[in-house]
Amino acid sequence: MSIIKVEKLTKIYKSHISKPGVLSTIKSIIKPNYVTVKALKEISFSVTKGEMVAYVGPNGAGKTTTSKILSGILYPTSGRVSVMGYIPWKRENNYLSQITFIMGQKTQLWWDIAPMETFLLNKSIYKISESDFEKTLDELTTLLDVKDLVHIPVRKLSLGERMKMELISSLLHKPKVLFLDEPTIGLDLLSQEAIRKFILEYNKSYNATIILTSHYIKDIEIADRIILLYRGEIIFDGNKEEILERFIKKRLVTVTFNTMPEIAKIPYNIISREGQTIEVEIEHKEISKFISFVFKSFDVKDVKNQDMNLEDAIKEGFKNASLY
Amino acid sequence: MRPYIKIIDNIFKESVEYRLNHILSFIVIALPLIIIYFLWNTIFYGKNLVGGYDKPAIVTYYILAILLQDFVYPGVNYEISRDIREGTLSNYLIKPINYMGVQFSIKTGASIPYSIVAIVITLIFVFFMRSTIVFQINIFLLLLFLLSVILAFILAFLISYSFSLLFFWLERTNSIELLLNAVLPLSMGMILPLSFFPHSLEILLDFLPFKYLLNFPIDIYLAHLKIERVIQGMGIQVIWIIIFFILSLWLWKKGTKKYQAYGG
Ligand SMILES: Nc1ncnc2c1ncn2[C@@H]1O[C@H](COP(=O)(O)OP(=O)(O)OP(=O)(O)O)[C@@H](O)[C@H]1O
Ligand SMILES: [Mg+2]
């Protein structure tokens, strides 16, 4: 059952352009000058309950725009969206109580007072019971290892510590659908890992649906599914295996023989040869055929598939898209 | 109600972090009081009545005007304009909470430390100037005064809130703001009691909301108004509150459609 349904979603931003000078200012009052940016062009996808989707794309692709529309902050220009049966931009309280939207580049915490005060405010906004609050808070602060910091004014926390508080404050009400927009941006490697683990853990234990945007490959790797967005269009939607297959056309296979055969008997593109070992570049779909061929024909000691690299696949995908 | 009370609490806690500001605001309030006192002392030299006010009444008028101005001045709410322009409004939009309620709580919360300072100053002032101040001991009048101040506070909030929502459409509001800041102090009675103005202008101001923010409550305190006029005035306060309430709901509905959620 799909919990998020997006159909032909389009968002066009209109912005004024203001030129310097009195005359053009007066002109722009009478006849405003607009430029339009097509941030999303009829994108469609759906997400099933409990799925973790990595929403990936180059800067300006429209990822944040999508999250803002899905969380009800922005009105779309056209298209249909339904999340848990609600239309996000109607902003019904029942809907808002079940979602959260975390932006790594912005804080939702009260800057000059302790994170605890924001937690307590959210407790009252989401009508969380005392016992639930205590329990969840304890759980989250333990998982993220920030128990001792909840009473220190937010402005005195480090970026990583603040981000953890951000997560806690946004998850106290145990949302069912999470929009996470670059939650690990600017964090050190250990903090990134802590947050990544935490997100995964949350996804599993609450069966929460998560749309995770990030430019870090390790974040992308934890997702069940990857959607690639390029200039407002979805260029790929599928799991890790599929993305590799789709965008990495050729792979290197290393074969080590017990007795070296004649090279001419191997009708494939041999890149290098060293003693009993050769490296072969091969089309993705031919790999299994190739492997059975060498095993059948020769005395083979070992065959190694080069690891396929997700990052390369994604880059390749963007490069392909830029050609059109 | 709970979330809104918690916001008031948070704002208060936040302001405690900046105690120095309150000492400064103390000076800001106290200074004009002293200047006004000496100024009117000079104006009244050898006279008993100026513009229908005697000396204790006029001194009391200004003391109240200065003490109340922070509560009832409907200037641009920079918190709101920042929320709209910098996109921090999104923080509220994604939560099941009412933004007007949030801003009202913030305004109320921010008024608490100011009220404490204001009360302290008044007490000091009253102690030194006993002889030159009007003491209102009529409890009924005091209650009416308090009620009209509360209505004025709500009205001022709604005017300022509606005005600040215009930032959904405008990049800058400098010019409107300038105009407002020129018109407001005069029409509210902050610079002069309105009875100093020509009669025709006074009548016009009777129908506009501004008088009911400051001049009207103070005149209740000074017992310058007959009871019918008090009731009529409060009726007008309520009508303006309803008008600006509806206006702000409409602006909010239209504005959030245009909201660009900048940043992130
Ligand atoms: N409020 C706005 N007004 C005008 N144009 C906008 C506005 N917000 C975003 N855009 C434009 O829309 C496009 C998509 O922006 P968006 O923020 O969704 O990108 P993104 O995929 O999140 O990028 P990034 O990885 O840099 O965060 C960009 O070209 C951006 O310039
Ligand atoms: Mg973004």
Side-chain angles (χ1 to χ4, degrees), chain A residues 13-15 37 39 57-66 68 105 181-182 215 229, chain B residues 260-262 264:
Chain A
Y13 287 110
K14 246 191 199 176
S15 20
V37 178
N59 293 128
K63 306 177 297 293
T64 303
T65 303
T66 313
K68 281 174 182 165
Q105 325 201 25
D181 194 357
E182 305 192 39
H215 295 295
L229 193 70
Chain B
Q260 300 262 337
Y262 293 115

Side-chain angles (χ1 to χ4, degrees), chain A residues 1-26:
Chain A
M1 240 265 316
S2 58
I3 193 164
I4 300 178
K5 261 183 262 167
V6 175
E7 278 170 56
K8 299 201 165 177
L9 179 63
T10 297
K11 176 71 191 181
I12 298 171
Y13 287 110
K14 246 191 199 176
S15 20
H16 286 283
I17 29 175
S18 43
K19 289 183 200 133
V22 182
L23 212 76
S24 45
T25 305
I26 295 170

Side-chain angles (χ1 to χ4, degrees), chain B residues 132-161:
Chain B
T132 43
I133 282 176
V134 176
F135 276 108
Q136 190 51 262
I137 43 166
N138 183 334
I139 293 288
F140 182 63
L141 266 190
L142 281 177
L143 283 177
L144 284 179
F145 166 69
L146 197 69
L147 179 62
S148 69
V149 169
I150 291 170
L151 290 174
F153 178 76
I154 296 170
L155 176 57
F157 168 77
L158 287 171
I159 294 175
S160 145
Y161 181 72

Side-chain angles (χ1 to χ4, degrees), chain A residues 47-314:
Chain A
V47 181
T48 36
K49 188 170 161 52
E51 216 176 353
M52 165 126 65
V53 178
Y55 199 51
V56 184
N59 293 128
K63 306 177 297 293
T64 303
T65 303
T66 313
S67 293
K68 281 174 182 165
I69 293 173
L70 264 53
S71 59
I73 295 170
L74 272 184
Y75 278 69
T77 306
S78 67
R80 286 202 302 197
V81 177
S82 136
V83 184
M84 294 179 282
Y86 294 95
I87 294 171
W89 51 92
K90 285 197 172 164
R91 287 207 304 279
E92 289 168 64
N93 284 349
N94 270 342
Y95 176 61
L96 299 177
S97 313
Q98 300 181 62
I99 64 157
T100 202
F101 181 15
I102 301 175
M103 280 188 260
Q105 325 201 25
K106 290 201 155 185
T107 181
Q108 297 181 35
L109 300 164
W110 287 53
W111 196 245
D112 287 318
I113 48 181
M116 192 60 183
E117 305 297 339
T118 307
F119 300 166
L120 287 168
L121 176 58
N122 284 355
K123 169 177 179 274
S124 61
I125 290 176
Y126 294 106
K127 301 189 175 74
I128 305 165
S129 76
E130 195 65 46
S131 58
D132 277 355
F133 178 76
E134 300 271 310
K135 199 174 140 265
T136 318
L137 184 64
D138 188 65
E139 216 175 286
L140 299 181
T141 47
T142 312
L143 261 171
L144 288 168
D145 193 25
V146 285
K147 255 200 165 110
D148 306 329
L149 298 174
V150 295
H151 294 294
I152 293 174
V154 172
R155 64 170 190 278
K156 294 182 184 168
L157 299 175
S158 79
L159 183 65
E161 289 162 352
R162 205 199 76 209
M163 199 56 228
K164 292 176 182 175
M165 297 302 178
E166 212 78 56
L167 277 166
I168 295 171
S169 118
S170 307
L171 297 176
L172 282 169
H173 61 293
K174 298 192 195 143
K176 296 199 178 83
V177 176
L178 284 68
F179 304 103
L180 307 179
D181 194 357
E182 305 192 39
T184 53
I185 190 167
L187 302 189
D188 69 54
L189 295 173
L190 286 177
S191 305
Q192 278 189 37
E193 189 171 276
I195 286 179
R196 207 150 41 226
K197 269 191 178 156
F198 175 78
I199 293 170
L200 199 58
E201 174 95 22
Y202 187 90
N203 166 249
K204 296 283 172 275
S205 48
Y206 292 102
N207 195 24
T209 311
I210 301 182
I211 291 192
L212 171 67
T213 288
S214 176
H215 295 295
Y216 300 131
I217 199 72
K218 289 217 160 175
D219 293 350
I220 299 168
E221 275 169 352
I222 64 170
D224 309 315
R225 173 178 157 201
I226 298 169
I227 294 180
L228 291 189
L229 193 70
Y230 188 87
R231 296 203 180 161
E233 283 172 294
I234 291 178
I235 56 166
F236 173 84
D237 182 351
N239 63 27
K240 270 166 271 182
E241 287 71 48
E242 287 164 344
I243 196 171
L244 294 170
E245 249 169 62
R246 168 90 169 271
F247 294 115
I248 300 207
K249 295 288 181 233
K250 287 180 181 154
R251 282 170 69 187
L252 284 184
V253 180
T254 315
V255 187
T256 309
F257 299 99
N258 285 324
T259 42
M260 194 66 196
E262 252 179 79
I263 292 292
K265 285 190 177 160
I266 307 170
Y268 290 93
N269 183 15
I270 296 168
I271 302 241
S272 74
R273 182 188 161 174
E274 218 186 291
Q276 308 278 85
T277 305
I278 58 166
E279 263 185 336
V280 184
E281 191 186 57
I282 208 146
E283 290 274 327
H284 203 92
K285 48 184 184 289
E286 307 232 311
I287 286 181
S288 48
K289 212 172 100 195
F290 169 73
I291 291 174
S292 62
F293 162 73
V294 287
F295 270 106
K296 230 187 285 163
S297 322
F298 313 109
D299 182 10
V300 175
K301 186 181 174 192
D302 185 30
V303 174
K304 265 199 206 109
N305 257 341
Q306 180 208 39
D307 270 348
M308 288 198 289
N309 186 324
L310 185 61
E311 191 165 339
D312 288 339
I314 292 172

